[in-house]
């Protein structure tokens, strides 16, 4: 499934560094604009699971990850709150009232420190894979699906240890010396693979999301270009395609997002609660527990704020990324013309 833009240009015509710059700008802008929606969504998911109190966990919009401390947080994580939220608007109002406007951007700096390199690896890897697969797979329709899934798997695997380290830094105030000693002890007792704890449910959630997202995004973009008889997609086409593709992927993968939020609470239980270590429940055990405690609808907790966040997040990210690539493509073309 080749986009109308690629059919016209033949290739990207930009360097890997320029792809990196484009994705970096998109990651920063997206994180700043959608973090408040992310905070509200996770709070709504968290209150449905009493065991979240005092524990840190990760959340993702499919493009970037964010870490949060649900209660008794310190520093730039969440502060203690009481009472339940009845909905998205109620959560916004109570968070601002009790904790101030800044609370809506809780944990943004450390999140940027990880989400930026994650997104850079993810988007750059996708473009490189898609270009490579064009010459190896006859059916181009499935290239975005394959490239999107592999790119997310690759980026999630590389960043997973960093995510775990960041979670520990936010769950407790540690100096770098203490952090290094803590990690060394953990590796000595549990092996190097312990740094990838939580990788399974993360991949189970993010890989399907990415595969569905890129497949639908490329399909919508190409279809809208054809209907409009355009050689290059406009900003509106890119923005609407990203929003629609993200919304579809978010809805279909929401149960795995909820499971990931619940299961993440077990990752640092020994450190946060100082209770004896427990064996992590499997994904299916967590799913069954959610259904028993909250019904089938419990698997779709936070769907409204998630969709409200996902649509603009995906739209802003892909629009910024595509705009950046178009800018560099034209810049390179102008340089070639001058040199010629």
């Amino acid at each position: 499934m080749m986009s109308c833009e690629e059919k016209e240009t033949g290739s990207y015509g930009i360097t890997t560094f320029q792809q990196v710059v484009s994705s970096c700008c998109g990651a920063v802008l997206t994180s700043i604009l959608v973090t408040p929606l992310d905070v509200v969504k996770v709070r709504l998911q968290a209150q449905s699971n009493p065991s979240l109190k005092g524990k840190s966990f990760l959340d993702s919009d499919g493009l970037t990850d964010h870490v949060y401390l649900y209660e008794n947080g310190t520093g730039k994580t969440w502060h203690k709150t009481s009472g339940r939220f009845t909905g998205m608007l109620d959560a916004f109002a109570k968070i601002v009232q009790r904790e101030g406007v800044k609370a809506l951007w809780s944990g943004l700096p450390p999140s940027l420190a990880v989400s930026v390199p994650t997104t850079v690896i993810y988007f750059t890897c996708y473009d490189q894979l898609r270009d490579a697969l064009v010459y190896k797979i006859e059916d181009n329709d499935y290239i975005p699906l394959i490239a999107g899934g592999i790119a997310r798997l690759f980026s999630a695997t590389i960043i997973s240890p960093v995510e775990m380290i960041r979670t520990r830094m936010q769950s407790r105030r540690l100096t770098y010396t203490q952090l290094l000693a803590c990690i060394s002890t953990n590796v000595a007792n549990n092996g190097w693979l312990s740094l990838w704890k939580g990788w399974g449910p993360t991949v189970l959630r993010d890989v399907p999301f990415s595969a569905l997202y890129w497949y639908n995004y490329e399909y919508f973009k190409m279809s809208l270009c054809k209907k409009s008889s355009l050689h290059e997609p406009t900003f509106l086409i890119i923005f609407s395609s990203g929003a629609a593709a993200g919304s579809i992927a978010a809805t279909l993968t929401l149960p795995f997002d909820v499971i990931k939020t619940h299961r993440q609470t077990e990752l640092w239980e020994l450190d946060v609660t100082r209770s004896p270590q427990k064996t992590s429940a499997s994904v299916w055990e967590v799913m069954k527990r959610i259904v028993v405690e909250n019904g089938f609808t419990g698997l779709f907790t936070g769907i409204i704020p998630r969709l409200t966040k996902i649509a603009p997040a995906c739209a802003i990210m892909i629009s910024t990324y595509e705009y950046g690539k178009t800018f560099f493509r034209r810049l390179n073309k102008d340089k070639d013309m001058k040199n010629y």
Side-chain angles (χ1 to χ4, degrees), residues 54-327:
K55 298 181 182 180
S56 57
F57 57 94
L58 299 175
D59 177 66
S60 173
D61 56 16
L63 300 176
T64 56
D65 284 335
H66 308 277
V67 66
Y68 300 96
L69 191 61
Y70 179 55
E71 255 185 271
N72 301 323
T74 57
K76 295 183 179 180
T77 53
W78 293 351
H79 298 285
K80 185 175 182 179
T81 61
S82 59
R84 293 181 63 84
F85 305 124
T86 58
M88 184 177 176
L89 294 179
D90 181 61
F92 265 115
K94 288 182 178 177
I95 291 173
V96 172
Q97 180 183 5
R98 297 168 180 169
E99 307 170 41
V101 176
K102 290 183 178 180
L104 293 175
W105 281 270
S106 300
L108 179 60
S111 293
L112 284 173
V114 174
S115 65
V116 170
T118 300
T119 305
V120 167
I121 294 172
Y122 173 41
F123 275 75
T124 304
C125 184
Y126 169 77
D127 274 347
Q128 300 288 342
L129 278 172
R130 190 184 63 169
D131 287 347
L133 291 174
V134 166
Y135 302 101
K136 297 182 179 180
I137 299 179
E138 294 183 1
D139 191 349
N140 290 340
D141 289 348
Y142 296 100
I143 288 178
L145 189 146
I146 297 172
I150 294 176
R152 191 62 180 184
L153 177 64
F154 182 68
S155 62
T157 302
I158 291 179
I159 298 298
S160 185
V162 182
E163 289 281 11
M164 297 299 293
I165 292 172
R166 182 184 63 166
T167 304
R168 173 156 296 193
M169 289 183 70
Q170 287 201 306
S171 63
R172 293 174 58 189
R173 288 190 173 184
L174 299 173
T175 65
Y176 286 104
T177 301
Q178 292 173 325
L179 179 64
L180 181 61
C182 193
I183 294 173
S184 299
T185 301
N186 185 58
V187 171
N189 294 334
N190 304 305
W192 285 100
L193 291 179
S194 62
L195 294 178
W196 278 267
K197 189 175 183 181
W199 174 87
T202 299
V203 168
L204 188 61
R205 176 198 62 193
D206 291 351
V207 171
F209 178 96
S210 298
L212 290 169
Y213 169 77
W214 285 111
Y215 178 84
N216 286 307
Y217 168 71
E218 298 288 3
Y219 174 78
F220 290 146
K221 185 173 68 170
M222 183 179 67
S223 298
L224 290 174
C225 280
K226 286 183 177 180
K227 289 182 179 179
S228 304
S229 300
L230 296 173
H231 292 300
E232 294 188 11
T234 63
F235 175 83
L236 181 60
I237 287 177
I238 293 173
F239 191 91
S240 58
S241 297
S247 297
I248 293 173
T251 301
L252 296 178
T253 60
L254 180 58
F256 294 114
D257 181 57
V258 175
I259 291 170
K260 178 65 170 63
T261 301
H262 279 247
R263 201 167 182 227
Q264 179 68 31
T265 64
E266 301 174 1
L267 296 181
W268 301 109
E269 185 164 350
L270 180 61
D271 291 318
V272 178
T273 66
R274 300 183 183 279
S275 62
Q277 183 113 22
K278 298 180 181 179
T279 303
S280 297
S282 67
V283 171
W284 304 115
E285 288 174 339
V286 174
M287 180 180 291
K288 287 189 291 185
R289 186 170 67 241
I290 293 174
V291 172
V292 170
E293 295 176 355
N294 303 303
F296 183 77
T297 56
L299 294 175
F300 291 88
T301 301
I303 186 170
I304 300 301
R306 177 168 168 80
L307 289 177
T308 304
K309 180 197 71 172
I310 284 292
C314 291
I316 294 169
M317 179 63 216
I318 197 63
S319 298
T320 306
Y321 182 58
E322 295 283 15
Y323 177 83
K325 291 194 298 182
T326 299
F327 171 80

